[in-house]
Amino acid sequence: GPPPSVTQYAAGNAIEAGRWLVTPQRAWVSRQRVYGVTLRPGQQALVLEADLSNRTQASTGVYSDLLRPATMPGITLEDPVVAQVRDPKTAPLLHPGMPERVIYVWMIPASATPPASFTVDVVGETFKPVDNLFGTPGWFNPAVVGQVTLPFGQPPAAAEQGS
């Protein structure tokens, strides 16, 4: 039968994803530097801005798999670069109880035509106090916990300054 339907979220909705609470905000297409993330020649970037809240007890940088874009015809995506907005740096450690606005940046060829909107799966994990294999606590069993579709719009004014 058809796959079970995934809960659809809109921009500004907080989505519980195990160790993260993620609130997608907006998406845009960029052809220049975004919050310190530099594009290579011949590339453009699909950018998704979101607020991440670390719901665990420890600082972590494990979030690159949290958002997974849906398949786009003719476009193959690499892993995203994640950068902090407040103090632009890539792959920041995010601390418990301190929400941070970040951008996810996926590079695509400059010749590719982005779709009108960006559909992204939110991948959550389940906390197990005792793992079957090692008997230790951890986050396991990644699964899609929701999906958000954002129109590609205009970047915030600060995003591309100093490009």
Side-chain angles (χ1 to χ4, degrees):
S5 66
V6 174
T7 305
Q8 299 293 316
Y9 293 91
N13 287 158
I15 305 165
E16 295 211 9
R19 72 176 98 191
W20 298 105
L21 186 66
V22 55
T23 308
Q25 296 292 352
R26 61 172 69 92
W28 68 91
V29 179
S30 182
R31 290 178 175 268
Q32 47 191 331
R33 210 167 97 109
V34 194
Y35 291 120
V37 178
T38 304
L39 281 60
R40 296 196 293 269
Q43 286 188 322
Q44 59 183 327
L46 307 180
V47 183
L48 189 149
E49 186 179 282
D51 296 314
L52 295 188
S53 292
N54 177 351
R55 303 171 69 206
T56 72
Q57 303 297 311
S59 300
T60 179
V62 179
Y63 42 63
S64 67
D65 294 337
L66 177 63
L67 299 176
R68 193 167 60 204
T71 306
M72 289 172 277
I75 297 177
T76 304
L77 294 178
E78 305 170 11
D79 289 340
V81 176
V82 181
Q84 192 170 275
V85 167
R86 172 179 58 80
D87 171 22
K89 57 176 176 240
T90 55
L93 272 184
L94 300 183
H95 308 294
M98 291 176 58
E100 281 288 355
R101 182 155 292 188
V102 300
I103 53 165
Y104 281 70
V105 182
W106 288 271
M107 306 295 179
I108 65 171
S111 57
T113 303
S117 59
F118 201 18
T119 299
V120 178
D121 288 338
V122 179
V123 180
E125 293 166 299
T126 306
F127 182 77
K128 291 166 100 177
V130 180
D131 163 47
N132 304 342
L133 192 59
F134 298 108
T136 53
W139 291 91
F140 303 96
N141 305 334
V144 176
V145 296
Q147 190 177 70
V148 62
T149 299
L150 301 169
F152 281 118
Q154 293 302 307
E160 297 178 340
Q161 286 176 354
S163 301

